[in-house]
Amino acid sequence: MSQMELYTGRPLEEEGREEKEIRVYDLLDRLGIEYQRTDHEHADTMEDCLEIDKVLDILICKNLFLCNRQKTKYYLLMMPGEKPFKTKELSAQINSARLSFASAEAMEEYLDIQPGSVSIMGLMNDTENHVQLLVDEDVLKGEYLGCHPCVNTSSLKLKTKDIFDIFLKAVHHDPIIVKLTGK
């Protein structure tokens, strides 16, 4: 990846950026949520995110878009990037048998996000609450969290408190807190 810089707030130049990314900045600004941002090449993997973590001085969350076997319930799971994900452990806590990764089509339909860009910011596009947010308790322990603004060519650093006290209320999503051990 090329040299990344840390910026405060939205990009000064919006040309060439996707509308869904600009909508994230518009909402954060309207809610009075401060954030820092860095732009980078496509970051599709947790390995890509490690370099971004250093620039933002945070750990970017692993965001998984899941569904039940019947594809009637969808979940966005936020967890620390380094923690292994065990489906069985989560299934037991939310009383849902057989969780699997949801399709790219469902991700696009409900969150207006493409694979590799999954982010809590996508919940702003889920106005009918098709997606239940699940948050590993360890995510809440950090002062800041990192996420993509619905595209994986930028990353944001936001106060965890602002996401859970302001952003989620504004987009009408209540998280379910889960405890994942990775064992």
Side-chain angles (χ1 to χ4, degrees), residues 123-135:
L123 293 175
M124 68 184 274
N125 302 314
D126 179 30
T127 56
E128 295 179 15
N129 287 71
H130 292 286
V131 180
Q132 173 62 59
L133 177 63
L134 307 173
V135 181

Side-chain angles (χ1 to χ4, degrees), residues 77-90:
L77 171 64
M78 289 179 72
M79 61 186 290
E82 77 285 351
K83 192 180 277 193
F85 172 60
K86 305 285 188 202
T87 315
K88 186 176 175 184
E89 183 180 32
L90 180 61

Side-chain angles (χ1 to χ4, degrees), residues 142-154:
E143 182 180 358
Y144 294 94
L145 63 81
C147 65
H148 292 308
C150 295
V151 295
N152 64 1
T153 51
S154 292

